[in-house]
Amino acid sequence: MVRIPLVLSLLATAAVAASNAPPGYAQASDYLERERQPERYSPLHLLDGRDTTAWCASGESPAPVTIGFKDVVSIDEVRVYTGDGTDRASYKAHARARKLTLTSVSSAKSLKVEDKRGLQVVPISPALTGNRFTLEVVERFAGAREGAPVCVTDLVFYSGGKALNGTWLAPRLRYDARLAPLLGTWFGGLEGAPDRFLSLFVDGTFRFAYEPLEGGEPSSVTGSYALSGTRLTLEVPNKGRVTARLQRAAPDGSSPAGATLELEGAVAEEWGRAFRGQP
């Protein structure tokens, strides 16, 4: 089970109205064929609303998927398409998620579904609120062979009757090998108790949030970014450009969890210079 410190979300405990912002990324440290064909079973497929794609992962306890939103959302319903729905043969060959856990900063909800194709409605009451959620497979329906990868075709989030993702989001979710290692939330400050969060989203925007641990006013900045080769440039409103460089933990990039993001240029003091991939 992934432990998520309470300080990971700037606004999760604040008295603000949740928005209808779409999810901005879905990431996992590992998934089926990540090294050979990373685009085939990417976690981003969970959000595209299409039954022609699926997320699959191997192992008894698959790596959890982190799903980040551009703003605080209140999730009161999830529609789950379990298994690999790309065709009937794949559905039966692969294991299908039977019970999943969706965790926010402060609470968790079990999502239980039947072994059948198509979207299944799972109400969430009380609603889960936050801007970052963790999805884990807890139980599964067995595949055709022992140890078969477990799959989920789609996960559609709803808030107040409105779908926050679906087929309309699919064009933004195409796998980009250069961008994939950068997407997600990066953490700065003390290990285990970060106070700075830099999130990079699929639509070319970012959000920096600063939440001081000992007093002080929280703040946030949003802007756009551009990726050229290995150079990531953040366009910070009223501040100019800041360059970020990805430093991999291993030469082959096989350990994304240990990667860091180093900022260069005129960076505000509260931003700091280094961000890591784990809290």
Side-chain angles (χ1 to χ4, degrees):
M1 185 74 175
V2 176
R3 296 180 179 176
I4 305 179
L6 290 179
V7 296
L8 292 191
S9 174
L10 173 65
L11 298 175
T13 57
V16 296
S19 78
N20 287 323
Y25 66 80
Q27 61 168 183
S29 61
D30 196 18
Y31 56 89
L32 187 62
E33 297 189 18
R34 187 180 73 86
E35 296 298 328
R36 294 185 302 169
Q37 292 181 291
E39 72 284 355
R40 185 172 183 182
Y41 296 110
S42 166
L44 290 171
H45 293 330
L46 287 168
L47 306 176
D48 64 13
R50 302 185 301 176
D51 60 8
T52 55
T53 63
W55 162 78
C56 298
S58 302
E60 184 177 345
S61 300
V65 177
T66 301
I67 300 169
F69 287 77
K70 297 183 65 175
D71 204 346
V72 172
V73 295
S74 183
I75 306 300
D76 53 31
E77 180 183 305
V78 175
R79 298 188 183 181
V80 183
Y81 189 148
T82 191
D84 182 348
T86 56
D87 56 55
R88 292 187 180 278
S90 297
Y91 187 85
K92 290 298 183 182
H94 293 152
R96 286 83 62 195
R98 178 178 183 177
K99 178 182 177 182
L100 305 106
T101 300
L102 186 65
T103 304
S104 67
V105 170
S106 58
S107 58
K109 173 66 178 180
S110 292
L111 312 177
K112 297 181 180 179
V113 294
E114 300 177 41
D115 190 7
K116 62 181 183 181
R117 299 181 70 182
L119 291 171
Q120 300 181 55
V121 177
V122 183
I124 297 180
S125 181
L128 288 176
T129 300
N131 57 12
R132 190 163 51 254
F133 302 88
T134 301
L135 182 74
E136 297 177 88
V137 175
V138 180
E139 298 176 7
R140 68 185 73 188
F141 298 104
R145 59 178 175 78
E146 185 177 354
V150 64
C151 304
V152 177
T153 298
D154 284 310
L155 191 72
V156 184
F157 295 93
Y158 276 76
S159 179
K162 178 180 176 59
L164 304 185
N165 60 291
T167 55
W168 56 270
L169 194 60
R172 300 182 188 176
L173 300 174
R174 293 192 181 98
Y175 182 83
D176 183 328
R178 297 182 308 141
L179 186 58
L182 296 164
L183 290 176
T185 296
W186 297 82
F187 306 90
L190 297 175
E191 289 194 19
D195 58 2
R196 292 174 284 119
F197 312 91
L198 178 60
S199 298
L200 301 173
F201 305 113
V202 294
D203 66 352
T205 64
F206 74 86
R207 182 176 187 273
F208 169 78
Y210 174 57
E211 184 181 0
L213 299 177
E214 298 181 1
E217 289 295 323
S219 62
S220 65
V221 176
T222 59
S224 61
Y225 68 81
L227 182 61
S228 176
T230 59
R231 181 188 294 269
L232 179 73
T233 302
L234 307 178
E235 296 284 352
V236 184
N238 302 319
K239 299 292 183 180
R241 297 177 177 178
V242 173
T243 298
R245 295 187 183 276
L246 178 66
Q247 304 293 331
R248 299 182 185 273
D252 61 357
S254 60
S255 181
T260 59
L261 201 62
E262 305 287 340
L263 301 187
E264 302 173 357
V267 184
E269 182 178 352
E270 66 266 23
W271 281 52
R273 292 282 178 179
F275 291 81
R276 57 189 179 274
Q278 295 292 321

